[in-house]
Amino acid sequence: MRTQNSRVSFATRNGVNSPIADRGRPQTAASPPCSLRPPILERRVRKILRMVESGTSFTIRDLALEFHLSPSYLQHLFKHQTGVSMGEWLSEQRLQRAAHLLANSYMSVKEIAHTIGYEHASSFIRAFERRFAQAPARFRKQSDSTEC
């Protein structure tokens, strides 16, 4: 069980974002900390990592159907292999993609929300604010000012 102070962060190594436990350290905006990833991941879990990181939005149910597994077993397998829940990891991937789109595109916040798999922009904005401690529009404005 996670404590209130624990967070999940994701490190990039060999082009694959790997979830790691972060013991309450504050996270920076769009650059997750580096860490070691598990040495050997099961073939299905490696494929899930690649599929989601390709930029396509997937739900746990989509992935479970793809691998002919129940959603609960797939989540158990993923958590056992990576140490983080699949829902948290999928959410982090979506929000990282949103941050990239905000900084590098002219898409509206509503378009980005829809692109990354949120049905309602308000839900996306709340999730983004929880993750990055600022609204998407402010994140974009700060990204624009740092590029000059």
Side-chain angles (χ1 to χ4, degrees), residues 17-78:
N17 282 350
S18 175
I20 57 169
D22 184 349
R23 306 224 186 320
R25 291 181 291 254
Q27 293 180 330
T28 58
S31 57
C34 291
S35 180
L36 298 176
R37 56 177 272 193
I40 300 174
L41 293 176
E42 185 188 283
R43 174 188 51 82
R44 293 178 288 193
V45 174
R46 285 193 316 267
K47 187 171 181 184
I48 289 168
L49 294 172
R50 285 192 308 270
M51 288 171 63
V52 173
E53 290 166 357
S54 73
T56 306
S57 292
F58 289 98
T59 64
I60 292 171
R61 186 175 179 167
D62 294 336
L63 294 166
L65 288 171
E66 174 74 22
F67 291 96
H68 307 289
L69 301 170
S70 72
S72 62
Y73 180 73
L74 180 61
Q75 291 176 83
H76 172 77
L77 175 66
F78 191 88

Side-chain angles (χ1 to χ4, degrees), residues 102-144:
L102 285 164
N104 298 296
S105 79
Y106 293 103
M107 294 172 69
S108 71
V109 170
K110 187 175 182 178
E111 289 172 319
I112 291 172
H114 181 72
T115 298
I116 65 166
Y118 280 85
E119 192 170 325
H120 303 286
S122 58
S123 298
F124 162 67
I125 292 167
R126 267 192 314 276
F128 193 91
E129 287 174 340
R130 275 193 307 269
R131 170 58 179 89
F132 294 101
Q134 59 187 337
R138 185 170 179 199
F139 182 91
R140 172 176 272 162
K141 187 175 179 182
Q142 283 185 338
S143 295
D144 288 345

